[in-house]
Amino acid sequence: QKEVEQDPGPLSVPEGAIVSLNCTYSNSAFQYFMWYRQYSRKGPELLMYTYSSGNKEDGRFTAQVDKSSKYISLFIRDSQPSDSATYLCAMRGLGDDKIIFGKGTRLHILP
Amino acid sequence: GAVVSQHPSRVICKSGTSVKIECRSLDFQATTMFWYRQFPKQSLMLMATSNEGSKATYEQGVEKDKFLINHASLTLSTLTVTSAHPEDSSFYICSAPEGGLKEKLFFGSGTQLSVL
């Protein structure tokens, strides 16, 4: 079993819809959870990071962490064509140097 | 947010030549920088951790003599692909943690290397 699992998509949704992106993981030691957005042939951009369980909101983005289920989510409200990109989840344990990335989910927002 | 500048963005070279990629943290100091490799539709694969003033730490399976890393200052790390071959063609990305917070990684824009 891979440490981080993420559905590669592509996921296509109409403009204005709520998008739900998810990752599961197997390592219960993970404490920090991040979401990155990557446009084609560009470096990833940090969107959100959370520590341990709970929710965090920033504008149209909400990150959720459920450590009991080893499941994290990113919600995008009022999705826009400019949100079309690949979204990578990432996580690491307390004291770990290495961040483990998911493979990324390709998202297409249809105008 | 913090800015990490990476150059060049694209390089095409002949097999057997060496290619140097630069990664600079523009508005913060980074004692540690990370180098990744990414294949199409694949995730980021950590190659090595660059440490200012000391030797880089390489991940298992990454040839340190092939991928030379130098972290000469608190704002600059370089990756040199020596004697490049077509199988080295890939997208290389560097990153640096702002304020030493490893969960707040800022990435360069990446370098697409094509070896003919």
Side-chain angles (χ1 to χ4, degrees):
Chain A
Q1 182 184 9
K2 293 182 179 178
E3 280 196 288
V4 179
E5 299 271 9
Q6 186 175 11
D7 187 333
L11 176 64
S12 297
V13 299
E15 184 177 356
I18 296 175
V19 175
S20 173
L21 302 165
N22 312 293
C23 286
T24 60
Y25 61 96
S26 59
N27 189 345
S28 58
F30 287 146
Q31 295 281 353
Y32 296 96
F33 304 91
M34 290 75 75
W35 285 96
Y36 288 84
R37 177 176 63 196
Q38 185 177 23
Y39 292 110
S40 181
R41 302 290 87 183
K42 297 291 183 184
E45 171 193 9
L46 178 65
L47 284 177
M48 306 276 286
Y49 82 95
T50 55
Y51 172 71
S52 194
S53 285
N55 294 359
K56 187 173 184 178
E57 186 174 323
D58 184 0
R60 296 186 296 113
F61 299 93
T62 300
Q64 284 187 354
V65 174
D66 182 349
K67 291 191 68 182
S68 62
S69 301
K70 297 189 181 68
Y71 188 88
I72 68 172
S73 300
L74 177 70
F75 298 97
I76 306 174
R77 292 184 299 279
D78 188 23
S79 57
Q80 300 166 9
S82 58
D83 295 327
S84 298
T86 296
Y87 290 79
L88 299 125
C89 64
M91 46 199 80
R92 76 173 181 94
L94 189 66
D96 285 346
D97 280 342
K98 190 183 297 188
I99 292 177
I100 308 298
F101 286 87
K103 284 192 174 183
T105 299
R106 285 182 294 139
L107 173 66
H108 297 297
I109 305 299
L110 307 171
Chain B
V3 177
V4 174
S5 175
Q6 184 174 344
H7 293 282
S9 59
R10 186 175 185 88
V11 59
I12 301 172
C13 68
K14 292 182 179 180
S15 184
T17 60
S18 294
V19 175
K20 180 185 281 189
I21 303 169
E22 289 190 350
C23 182
R24 294 180 185 273
S25 56
L26 295 186
D27 49 0
F28 66 102
Q29 294 182 333
T31 57
T32 300
M33 290 186 178
F34 303 97
W35 287 95
Y36 296 85
R37 187 172 180 175
Q38 188 177 34
F39 292 103
K41 299 182 182 179
Q42 295 295 315
S43 187
L44 300 166
M45 184 191 80
L46 180 64
M47 298 175 64
T49 301
S50 172
N51 303 298
E52 188 268 335
S54 64
K55 291 182 179 180
T57 305
Y58 290 83
E59 294 300 303
Q60 190 173 8
V62 178
E63 300 175 59
K64 58 183 179 182
D65 294 331
K66 174 76 170 176
F67 299 100
L68 298 179
I69 290 173
N70 184 22
H71 196 148
S73 76
L74 288 171
T75 59
L76 174 64
S77 175
T78 60
L79 168 68
T80 301
V81 184
T82 62
S83 187
H85 288 94
E87 58 265 31
D88 298 324
S89 299
S90 188
F91 192 58
Y92 294 87
I93 314 175
C94 68
S95 72
E98 185 189 23
L101 297 175
K102 299 180 180 72
E103 61 274 12
K104 295 189 77 174
L105 281 181
F106 290 87
F107 286 83
S109 54
T111 298
Q112 181 64 52
L113 172 63
S114 300
V115 184
L116 305 177

